[in-house]
Amino acid sequence: MPPNTTATTGDTATTGAAPAKSGRKKGRKARLLVLLLVLAVIAGIGYGGFWSVSTVRASLPQTTGTITLDGLAGPVDVKRDGNGIPQIYASSDEDLFMAQGYVQAQDRFYEMDVRRHMTAGRLSEMFGKSQIKNDEFLRTLGWDRVAKQEYDTKLSASTKRYLDAYAKGVNAYLKGKSGKDLSLEYAALGLTNDYKPQQWTPVDSVSWLKAMAWDLRGNMRDEIDRALMTSRLGPQQIRDLYPEYPYSRNKPIVQEGQYDALTKSFEQSAAPGTPVGTGTGDTTGAGTGLGTADTTGAGTAGGATGSSAGTTGTGGSGTPATGGSDLTSQLGGLYSSLDDLPTAVGVNGQGIGSNSWVVAGKHTITGKPLLANDPHLEASLPGVWYQMGLHCRTVSAKCQYDVTGYTFAGMPGVIIGHNGDIAWGMTNSGVDVSDLYLEKVTAGGYLYDGKVRPFKTRQETIKVAGGASKTIVVRETQDGMPLVSDRDDELVQVGKRATVNSAAPDRGDGYGVALKWTALDPSATMDAVFALDKASDWNGFRAAAAKFDVPSQNLVYADTRDNIGYTLPGKIPTRSAADDGSVPAPGWDAKYRWTGYLQQDELPYEYNPKRGYIVTANQAVVDKDTYPYTLTTDWGYGTRSQRITDLIESKIKGGGKISTDDMRQMQLDDSSEIAKLMVPKLLKINLDDKNVRDAQKLLEGWDYTQDSDSAAAAYFNAVWRNVLKLAFGNKLPKELRVKGQCLWVDKIDSTGPVDDDTKVRECGQRAADQAQPDGGDRWFEVVRNLMKKPDSDWWKTPKQGTRPAAGNMDQLFARAMIDARWELTAKLGKDIDTWSWGRLHRLFLKNQTLGTDGPRALQYLLNRGPWKLNGGEAAVDATGWNAAGGYNVVWVPSMRMVVNLADLDKSKWINLTGASGHAFSAHYTDQTDKWAKGELLPWSYSSKAVDKSTSDTLVLKP
């Protein structure tokens, strides 16, 4: 077992109950009051008095007949199919986007309203004092301020016209309507405050891009986690948990690509195998100081020498170490603040990813490309995506769009989809576009390059429903980094006992924590959305993508002329050799500041590769030995991407051609790659207990698929969870473990472990769906490497009650099989014939505001589920679960699509929930059952196909 991490008991919760609820719920206590009042009303006057038929029906949209809208230049047709998905037909761009705003507001205005309050840091206006801390943090980031700067100074005139038209459409829908006319949630809010929705503004739409960028910002959580680990783990142990990307086994996205300017740049800046900005250090773990990295890319977080705990010794370069209990607590506080923030597009966890791939016509039945995409996001109700088509009756200079796909309610245009010429999909690139900096704060400002510089400050007033307003002061460095430590009590003082060398600045009352993030600089990303929607070829697509500054996404491409491609856009920083962005860096030292940004012609892309397909699933973009820049140290580990590649290759090598349905079936592949590695070993282990042997036999002959009715999948995943807990989870610091799960561990102080065998009881502090080890494919790689070291200390775990101790890998695997048997006995019953993966692996869809907490009656009205799901963590069918927290599904393929470039009307799509955000609409979750079964809906595009599928037609008239 690693030093100073001996666990003397299991991870039993303090009360003996289940783990505490998600930390994300801590800030919603005031909402509980709202819900209790609703329940009181229900109890007092019955459902008919409050949730009356008229209340419910008042907010359902009109989908047939005629509505007059001031501001339209001509009539607009809104044609909805049997699933309520709208296709809009107009004769000018402005009318098209005005109608889009109107229609989205019909279906989703409450969702739009909540999310614009989130992006502006104004949730307290709706939900009261429980949201003040969230609002303080969001005001500190200043998303809406940056969005306003973008609208005022960065966006093209045409984009501003479209945003204005969209806002005009939303406001036309709001005109003359009270809260209950918009959504029944407003009726509930009306019980406790007099909140009334305000007019929509173009900046509300632009702010959404900031929220999207925040959720897809890269490795900030890994950056925090590595720093937190130093309180319990040494440099080599941290490296064990952040292994090298397996380039030889899991191929990067770009294999035959071009880099334009990179040939010259590469020769000038680095030799092959020596990426620029990867940090310094040696293989022993003695780094050169805070923020530096060793040759594996895992930061040593202090360059500690001579201590297995990584918290003592002297860091080099005049920089501090990140060890020390206070700094650990404060970084934990920052993580807690991040965790409490509501998610925008549903990414608030680790391990979340997406799949997108494209196959050229030479490998398809149709002779033209097929393109698939399924972004993996946190499950929400309503789903984050909104399906629609935007069609000009005649494409011309006056009306330029004929596009269909997925967009966000609250934002004009289409984000992912196709037009008449091209199709595109997105996955998160994961490039590192944000860094945390420790700042030496004084009464006069902050220290930078030996001088004290004054902060830039601004006041923000937060209005609070049912309470007094609160004013805060936001401090920023001269280069625009907000001091996020001002927003959390645990971050006010930083590192009182953190080890630093004599050259580091005196900490005084503590170091602050500041955030550097590309999205805090105004950009023209909104221009990219409209440019993508009307691009007609590869060059137009690349030019549009170049405008997509934040968030950086992997973009795959196909067109009707049988071309396929990939490009990586984004505003991506470059760093000096002193810093690779893997851990918080010293803000007082200029050499840790970003050195610039990669230019578009320095970013990798690929066009018509000889292999005839391109796969992106959050793996490494490019091999580190062929690219001179460090994009990140925290790629996904390529498990999904390589499985998709293998499925494509097996079809091609077998002489077959790929069909639309083959693409769908690939999306549903639920094989467990970690099971393929571990099960042969598990079957060789001798077990004394007959009941455990019976469970072990479930794995004999198992094909490694994780179908919902599979008992073998249930047992293996329970074994996997217990392997992770015993080998790693019980040895991590409390800041990474599940809240409420407590252990007796070796006592530590600022210099490392105390040598007197003193034990202290430490309870986990992290939400169950955020804790580590989460079981993602990073942990696949960790276990794969350590299986080659069967006597590693990681495999050692103490005896617990009647459960045996383990001194090597086989013994720990045996212990995990025992623990898993009795865990599933408690959850599913003693009879293994009744076990199934779907009984453990369930999806609950919860309304993200009034359906997350509170009286069961209201939750019943707003929430849906459960669904028993196939799939699993790091499977292509990525119905993800957090192994530290339990088996319930926490992220999902948020939509699925397959575009057929030979006949666009034969494309297929599905959404997680439905078109409507109204709880009693027929289209609230009408796609979910089909989604859970892996089915896809027809996706009409041509006017003929749309007319054939139309159920309701609404005419909007000027």
Side-chain angles (χ1 to χ4, degrees):
M1 177 174 290
N4 78 296
T5 58
T6 304
T8 59
T9 66
D11 63 340
T12 307
T14 305
T15 61
K21 291 184 179 180
S22 168
R24 190 174 301 128
K25 300 178 180 178
K26 293 187 296 184
R28 296 175 176 158
K29 294 179 180 178
R31 283 188 220 159
L32 182 59
L33 176 59
V34 174
L35 304 180
L36 289 171
L37 289 171
V38 171
L39 184 60
V41 172
I42 293 173
I45 62 177
Y47 290 95
F50 183 70
W51 302 107
S52 64
V53 173
S54 62
T55 299
V56 171
R57 287 182 175 173
S59 59
L60 297 181
Q62 178 182 338
T63 59
T64 60
T66 301
I67 296 175
T68 299
L69 294 187
D70 291 338
L72 285 177
V76 176
D77 296 328
V78 181
K79 301 179 180 182
R80 296 178 184 262
D81 67 10
N83 292 99
I85 299 170
Q87 305 283 340
I88 300 175
Y89 289 83
S91 298
S92 72
D93 291 339
E94 287 79 2
D95 281 359
L96 189 63
F97 294 117
M98 180 177 177
Q100 183 182 16
Y102 185 89
V103 170
Q104 287 191 345
Q106 281 187 304
D107 284 332
R108 300 278 193 97
F109 182 74
Y110 178 74
E111 173 194 3
M112 293 164 58
D113 198 18
V114 170
R115 284 177 169 159
R116 69 163 163 175
H117 278 77
M118 180 191 72
T119 60
R122 294 170 50 208
L123 287 168
S124 300
E125 294 179 20
M126 296 185 75
F127 302 109
K129 64 181 181 180
S130 69
Q131 295 303 312
I132 290 176
K133 288 186 71 64
N134 281 337
D135 285 347
E136 289 178 352
F137 198 91
L138 291 163
R139 295 286 185 95
T140 299
L141 296 180
W143 292 348
D144 62 330
R145 298 176 68 255
V146 179
K148 188 175 188 309
Q149 293 176 51
E150 290 183 355
Y151 180 81
D152 290 341
T153 66
K154 293 291 185 179
L155 300 181
S156 68
S158 61
T159 293
K160 293 170 76 169
R161 287 199 309 273
Y162 302 157
L163 288 165
D164 292 346
Y166 181 91
K168 187 185 298 183
V170 175
N171 292 329
Y173 177 71
L174 297 180
K175 186 176 180 180
K177 291 182 174 65
S178 65
K180 71 175 184 179
D181 297 328
L182 299 172
S183 186
L184 62 83
E185 288 93 336
Y186 288 114
L189 289 177
L191 293 174
T192 57
N193 65 59
D194 59 355
Y195 173 79
K196 292 180 176 58
Q198 298 174 346
Q199 294 281 288
W200 192 265
T201 73
V203 173
D204 292 334
S205 295
V206 180
S207 294
W208 174 254
L209 287 171
K210 299 302 163 189
M212 179 181 173
W214 177 255
D215 280 356
L216 302 173
R217 65 193 175 276
N219 73 336
M220 186 185 297
R221 283 184 166 82
D222 285 320
E223 192 174 329
I224 294 172
D225 283 358
R226 275 188 287 263
L228 291 172
M229 285 179 182
T230 61
S231 68
R232 287 273 170 203
L233 304 178
Q236 181 57 52
Q237 294 160 345
I238 295 174
R239 287 196 295 274
D240 288 345
L241 303 188
Y242 287 89
E244 281 270 18
Y245 182 90
Y247 289 98
S248 62
R249 187 174 67 253
N250 296 343
K251 300 300 183 184
I253 297 170
V254 175
Q255 301 171 41
E256 307 168 33
Q258 298 83 16
Y259 311 110
D260 290 348
L262 283 188
T263 301
K264 181 178 180 181
S265 173
F266 179 74
E267 292 171 351
Q268 292 176 343
S269 61
T274 312
V276 172
T278 55
T280 60
D282 58 28
T283 56
T284 68
T288 61
L290 178 64
T292 62
D294 57 25
T295 56
T296 69
T300 63
T305 59
S307 169
S308 62
T311 57
T312 60
T314 302
S317 303
T319 58
T322 58
S325 58
D326 280 1
L327 183 56
T328 296
S329 174
Q330 288 134 9
L331 287 171
L334 175 57
Y335 194 104
S336 178
S337 292
L338 300 179
D339 187 28
D340 281 347
L341 290 180
T343 57
V345 298
V347 183
N348 206 11
Q350 299 181 16
I352 296 177
S354 301
N355 303 322
S356 190
W357 68 95
V358 60
V359 181
K362 67 180 181 180
H363 296 314
T364 69
I365 287 175
T366 66
K368 292 289 179 68
L370 295 170
L371 185 150
N373 196 188
D374 56 287
H376 308 154
L377 303 173
E378 188 176 30
S380 63
L381 184 62
V384 67
W385 297 109
Y386 186 90
Q387 298 155 284
M388 71 188 318
L390 302 171
H391 308 278
C392 291
R393 293 189 178 95
T394 302
V395 176
S396 65
K398 181 181 178 182
C399 198
Q400 305 172 73
Y401 296 89
D402 188 15
V403 62
T404 181
Y406 295 86
T407 187
F408 301 123
M411 203 172 95
V414 167
I415 304 299
I416 295 173
H418 71 81
N419 57 33
D421 299 303
I422 74 168
W424 66 96
M426 295 186 187
T427 63
N428 193 24
S429 69
V431 299
D432 188 358
V433 296
S434 62
D435 281 336
L436 295 173
Y437 286 88
L438 301 183
E439 302 289 349
K440 166 58 180 174
V441 179
T442 69
Y446 65 99
L447 184 67
Y448 183 70
D449 258 5
K451 298 179 180 179
V452 175
R453 302 190 178 189
F455 283 106
K456 295 187 293 185
T457 63
R458 69 177 189 272
Q459 285 192 339
E460 297 278 350
T461 299
I462 299 169
K463 296 180 181 179
V464 182
S469 297
K470 181 176 181 181
T471 299
I472 63 171
V473 175
V474 176
R475 296 191 288 179
E476 294 181 351
T477 64
Q478 293 297 312
D479 51 352
M481 293 195 298
L483 200 66
V484 291
S485 54
D486 283 349
R487 301 283 78 88
D488 192 286
D489 292 341
E490 290 182 301
L491 293 170
V492 173
Q493 297 183 352
V494 178
K496 285 190 173 180
R497 294 197 299 270
T499 301
V500 295
N501 67 16
S502 58
D506 179 79
R507 65 176 56 83
D509 290 332
Y511 299 130
V513 180
L515 170 67
K516 181 71 173 176
W517 178 39
T518 55
L520 296 183
D521 297 325
S523 72
T525 299
M526 197 71 223
D527 285 346
V529 175
F530 297 110
L532 283 172
D533 286 354
K534 64 182 180 181
S536 60
D537 57 22
W538 172 247
N539 289 334
F541 172 78
R542 282 264 291 165
K547 302 175 186 292
F548 211 100
D549 277 353
V550 287
S552 175
Q553 296 287 285
N554 296 313
L555 293 179
V556 294
Y557 167 93
D559 65 35
T560 56
R561 293 171 293 281
D562 196 20
N563 298 301
I564 65 172
Y566 161 85
T567 192
L568 175 69
K571 186 176 183 179
I572 300 172
T574 56
R575 298 172 174 86
S576 71
D579 180 27
D580 68 353
S582 63
V583 292
W588 50 83
D589 192 336
K591 71 182 180 184
Y592 289 90
R593 286 297 201 263
W594 294 353
T595 58
Y597 299 93
L598 294 177
Q599 300 301 306
Q600 176 68 15
D601 62 2
E602 294 175 311
L603 295 173
Y605 69 92
E606 196 166 63
Y607 186 58
N608 288 333
K610 293 179 181 179
R611 65 187 182 278
Y613 61 86
I614 301 170
V615 177
T616 82
N618 314 110
Q619 80 270 38
V621 169
V622 66
D623 194 302
K624 67 175 183 176
D625 290 338
T626 63
Y627 190 70
Y629 303 111
T630 296
L631 298 173
T632 185
T633 59
D634 292 300
W635 301 117
Y637 280 77
T639 301
R640 285 178 287 108
S641 62
Q642 194 57 43
R643 175 61 179 169
I644 294 166
T645 297
D646 291 345
L647 291 170
I648 294 171
E649 285 283 350
S650 66
K651 189 77 174 181
I652 293 172
K653 291 179 179 178
K657 297 285 188 178
I658 295 172
S659 68
T660 300
D661 197 60
D662 289 331
M663 300 285 274
R664 179 188 71 87
Q665 292 286 355
M666 291 177 192
Q667 288 178 325
L668 303 179
D669 183 83
D670 58 14
S671 67
S672 171
E673 298 303 297
I674 189 62
K676 294 175 185 178
L677 177 68
M678 290 181 59
V679 165
K681 186 69 176 177
L682 295 175
L683 288 173
K684 294 179 181 178
I685 293 175
N686 293 320
L687 298 164
D688 296 331
D689 190 315
K690 177 183 180 302
N691 290 301
V692 183
R693 290 201 307 274
D694 288 344
Q696 182 187 35
K697 290 177 182 177
L698 291 172
L699 304 179
E700 295 177 357
W702 178 42
D703 63 0
Y704 310 119
T705 60
Q706 300 173 92
D707 298 333
S708 62
D709 59 357
S710 171
Y715 182 59
F716 172 76
N717 282 317
V719 173
W720 170 239
R721 179 174 186 249
N722 280 278
V723 165
L724 292 173
K725 179 177 67 174
L726 294 168
F728 311 106
N730 290 348
K731 301 162 190 175
L732 296 176
K734 62 182 182 297
E735 291 84 6
L736 275 68
R737 299 199 314 268
V738 175
K739 185 177 182 180
Q741 293 182 352
C742 301
L743 302 169
W744 287 97
V745 298
D746 290 337
K747 184 178 180 180
I748 61 172
D749 60 20
S750 62
T751 63
V754 176
D755 295 329
D756 60 1
D757 294 326
T758 302
K759 303 293 183 183
V760 294
R761 186 168 173 80
E762 285 189 348
C763 298
Q765 297 180 353
R766 189 165 287 184
D769 61 353
Q770 298 287 310
Q772 292 293 338
D774 61 20
D777 66 353
R778 172 163 68 87
W779 294 99
F780 289 14
E781 199 65 19
V782 169
V783 170
R784 182 187 297 274
N785 291 342
L786 289 174
M787 285 180 69
K788 302 170 186 175
K789 304 174 182 178
D791 295 319
S792 167
D793 283 348
W794 286 111
W795 299 123
K796 298 177 182 178
T797 194
K799 179 179 180 181
Q800 180 188 352
T802 60
R803 309 286 171 86
N808 57 40
M809 181 182 72
D810 284 353
Q811 292 173 0
L812 186 136
F813 281 6
R815 165 73 179 274
M817 295 174 78
I818 296 168
D819 288 359
R821 179 22 160 146
W822 299 115
E823 180 188 1
L824 293 198
T825 297
K827 292 180 182 296
L828 303 179
K830 186 175 181 178
D831 184 358
I832 62 175
D833 290 335
T834 68
W835 290 2
S836 70
W837 177 224
R839 289 180 62 194
L840 292 172
H841 192 57
R842 300 179 298 167
L843 170 67
F844 294 85
L845 291 175
K846 293 187 176 183
N847 180 290
Q848 291 301 289
T849 56
L850 300 180
T852 52
D853 284 314
R856 290 186 178 274
L858 190 56
Q859 291 193 34
Y860 176 80
L861 295 174
L862 296 176
N863 299 339
R864 301 292 184 269
W867 286 266
K868 299 176 181 179
L869 297 187
N870 301 336
E873 181 58 44
V876 179
D877 186 10
T879 53
W881 53 286
N882 186 299
Y887 302 98
N888 278 341
V889 177
V890 293
W891 54 83
V892 295
S894 57
M895 61 81 156
R896 298 186 183 101
M897 75 177 198
V898 180
V899 183
N900 182 334
L901 276 300
D903 185 344
L904 293 168
D905 287 330
K906 291 183 179 178
S907 303
K908 303 286 186 179
W909 63 351
I910 197 79
N911 209 352
L912 172 63
T913 57
S916 180
H918 300 287
F920 291 94
S921 167
H923 306 305
Y924 191 48
T925 55
D926 60 333
Q927 298 185 51
T928 309
D929 284 344
K930 290 182 173 62
W931 172 91
K933 295 174 184 176
E935 298 176 12
L936 297 176
L937 298 174
W939 185 355
S940 299
Y941 174 68
S942 70
S943 57
K944 182 179 179 180
V946 169
D947 285 344
K948 186 176 180 179
S949 65
T950 295
S951 296
D952 292 346
T953 300
L954 173 68
V955 178
L956 304 176
K957 297 178 64 176

